[in-house]
Amino acid sequence: MRRSVCVLALCSLFAAAPAAAQDIAVDLELILAVDVSRSMDPDEQQLQRDGYRAALTHPDVIAAIGSGARRKIALSYIEWAGPAVQYVLVDWRVIDGAAAAGDFAAALAAAPIQGYRGTAIADGIVFSATRFDDNGVQATRRVIDVSGDGPNNMGMPIELARAAVIRKGITINGLPIMIKAPGGFAAIADLDVYYRDCVIGGAGAFTIVVRSADQFAEAIRRKLVLEIAGATPASPLLPATTIQAAGRSDCMIGEKLRRQWMQE
């Protein structure tokens, strides 16, 4: 397991190494950053894992990969929970067709499902951002696709982390999971709005919300196709930059709810 120290991880974002001449050129470098905090029940975690496996091997995703100029992307799968819990489940692999996508999905299937304490989205995206350095591939687009079922409630502030990651030219997209009614000390009813206001950012950033179990695989597939194509979904929602400027959400709500729970 890879563990991070909050300040060191944040500082390391500003010391990225230049691309090496032998790096493989791809259309997209994509990290799937997945919540494995204990607020994610075992059935939700299994649903999440199965959804990614199904999406990665779907003909629509394979076709999207093949439609790019280089006809390949680079993909990594990272799981995160509390501030000191981030680990690479599947390291960088070049996906250039159905066979490579199937191998990636098989690696996900073989890995155990685990749960840890805490929801530190900020530390998860900062850790993920450092993984783009010296990864053996090169693309003009770098994206972190973060999924989760609650707000940041410990570790570094989400706005600080988001700003640092965006300054590196990395886009953060969101997959808020709202399958079950909010429960627990740090649950919020408007997680989709929180993700929009506080988590996502960068060029073309967007969210796709999962509201029911039967939507999970379809939502992940749709999100991957859009990310690979460099597109954004048609949506009546305001662009992320507009919403963030309006300051609609309290981006420290998770931390406040956690402090209130500890005091009680």
Side-chain angles (χ1 to χ4, degrees):
M1 178 183 299
R2 293 290 301 270
R3 296 185 180 273
S4 67
V5 177
C6 172
V7 175
L8 293 179
L10 194 58
C11 290
S12 69
L13 287 181
F14 301 98
Q22 68 272 19
D23 284 352
I24 299 170
V26 297
D27 293 307
L28 170 68
E29 298 172 53
L30 175 62
I31 290 176
L32 306 177
V34 178
D35 181 4
V36 293
S37 62
R38 289 184 181 172
S39 61
M40 292 284 292
D41 295 337
D43 58 332
E44 285 184 305
Q45 286 210 40
Q46 187 65 60
L47 185 67
Q48 182 172 236
R49 181 78 64 82
D50 290 346
Y52 279 109
R53 289 173 52 217
L56 287 170
T57 56
H58 194 277
D60 290 352
V61 173
I62 303 303
I65 294 170
S67 68
R70 297 177 176 88
R71 299 183 179 181
K72 59 175 72 79
I73 66 169
L75 187 65
S76 180
Y77 191 101
I78 290 171
E79 294 186 331
W80 57 269
V85 181
Q86 307 94 30
Y87 54 94
V88 179
L89 197 72
V90 183
D91 209 350
W92 288 106
R93 297 191 184 189
V94 173
I95 310 298
D96 57 2
D103 288 344
F104 196 103
L108 290 182
I113 290 178
Q114 304 178 78
Y116 298 90
R117 293 184 183 277
T119 302
I121 304 172
D123 294 80
I125 62 174
V126 167
F127 174 83
S128 297
T130 66
R131 301 292 303 173
F132 289 105
D133 300 335
D134 299 317
N135 63 353
V137 294
Q138 174 73 15
T140 57
R141 293 188 295 124
R142 297 178 295 169
V143 175
I144 298 171
D145 181 347
V146 58
S147 62
D149 70 342
N152 198 79
N153 61 39
M154 58 173 59
M156 72 178 77
I158 186 63
E159 290 182 292
L160 176 65
R162 180 182 65 188
V165 171
I166 292 171
R167 281 198 296 272
K168 295 292 292 181
I170 299 167
T171 295
I172 306 165
N173 291 332
L175 190 78
I177 300 167
M178 304 177 68
I179 295 174
K180 297 181 178 179
F185 68 86
I188 57 175
D190 55 350
L191 184 66
D192 51 344
V193 178
Y194 174 88
Y195 258 69
R196 244 179 15 200
D197 291 0
C198 304
V199 178
I200 70 170
F206 66 91
T207 64
I208 290 182
V209 184
V210 180
R211 298 188 185 276
S212 66
D214 58 0
Q215 289 181 343
F216 212 108
E218 179 185 353
I220 294 173
R221 179 171 71 247
R222 181 182 173 212
K223 197 159 188 291
L224 287 175
V225 168
L226 290 168
E227 286 166 337
I228 292 166
T232 54
S235 172
L237 304 177
L238 292 172
T241 51
T242 303
I243 296 169
Q244 288 161 2
R248 293 187 177 182
S249 293
D250 179 357
C251 294
M252 295 294 290
I253 185 63
E255 289 86 346
K256 291 176 181 177
L257 290 171
R258 180 180 179 83
R259 284 196 297 269
Q260 179 180 326
W261 172 75
M262 292 178 70
Q263 290 168 358
E264 293 175 352

